Structures are given as C-alpha cells and as structure tokens.
Amino acid sequence: MKKRVAILISGGGSNMEALLRDMARDHPAAPVLVLANSPDAGGLAKAAARGVATASVDHRPYKGDRARFEAALNEKLEQAAPDIICLAGFMRILTPGFIARWQGKMLNIHPSILPLFRGLHTHQRALEAGMAVHGCTVHEVTGELDGGPILGQAVMPVQAGDTPETLAKRLLPLEHQLYPMVLRRFAVGDSKKVSIFA
Ligand code: GRF
C-alpha cells in the first residue's frame, strides 16, 4: 500500500511540484491532497493540472483565530486521511495542538542549514553572518519552530557578490532535489539522513 501524502502550500508551490513530479514515477507514496491557506495560491492550479485533488482554507476570515482556522484545515486533512503531511512553503504558524495531531508524520522544508537561521529572512541573515556556505533542510515538524529532527540537508557555497535573491535562486533547485529524496526515504521508514553538496 502506498503512503498517502498531503501537501500544504501558500504560494507558487515549486517544492510541491517537485514532490508531485517524483511521486508520478515509481514511488512508495502517492499524493492525495494539495491544500492551501489561500484560494489564490498559484500551486493549486499546478496540482490540479497533474490530476491531484486540491482544496483551500482561506486563513483571512478567521482573523488570527488560529484554532478555528486549523480546525477547518484539519477537517479537510482528516477527509484525505494522509499518512504523511509535507509543508512546502506553507507560511502559517501552526499551533501545538495541530502539530501534536500529526507529530511524527509532518515534514517541512526550511531554506537554511538548521539549526542556523530559524524563522524568516534566512538568505539575508546567512549573508549578514558572513557564512561561507548556505543551504536548506528537511526536518520533522515538532512544537519548536523550525526545530524537529533533521532528515536531510543540501549545502552550497556562498559566492562573492551574492545577494539574498541570488542565494534564493541558486538554493531553490537544491530544495527541489532534497525534498523528494527525503520523502522517498521517509515513506519507507528509512531514517538515513540525506546529504547533498552542491
Ligand atoms: C522555499 O524557499 C521554501 O524553502 C520556503 O518557501 C519557499 C517556497 O517556495 N519555506 P515554493 O512555494 O515551494 O516555490
């Protein structure tokens, strides 16, 4: 039986696409739902074009009431009954209750070499710190923001003249390599960490 995967997105969903592309090949998991926190998320159309079920729960009407927003999110998720949830550029902070419900089943990709630069503006902060390398991390989601066991990382050199934009642009293709590799291992219970050196 293939593992059922739900992907949560907020935007263009390029990481989501990389996961869908890989799952379209011989794979231990299959996508059952792409869920966005805005009906305008560009990734929804891309998922639908690949024949994957999509849904959205707009966070705006909930006006900061995270518990109610997450209850609506959870309803969609429970219907899809995923074994694994992949956060892929999902830009809402999740409450401990939601995380506890899916703990051990939820993955996230973060654009830094964790535990460095948790939170936002990672490319800018890597440059400000004078890093010689930068990268991305796929980790299990726990109650700690951008904490949780590291499952894989991709690392690349920082070059003279790099800006947050050039770093983001060079890093994204590595994210697209890393996340599918981690998901393949996670889906079969292989806990060997993935490492990519670009
Ligand atoms: C990626 O850089 C991801 O690491 C970060 O948000 C961006 C999402 O891009 N969390 P996309 O929506 O997958 O194209």
Side-chain angles (χ1 to χ4, degrees), residues 7 9 12-21 34 43-44 46-47 88:
I7 306 176
I9 62 167
S14 70
N15 276 292
M16 170 211 75
E17 268 202 299
L19 293 171
L20 294 183
R21 205 176 304 125
V34 169
L44 289 173
K46 294 179 193 162

Side-chain angles (χ1 to χ4, degrees), residues 89-101:
F90 186 68
M91 300 305 284
R92 305 305 300 168
I93 297 210
L94 297 166
T95 65
F98 184 91
I99 291 168
R101 163 67 186 88

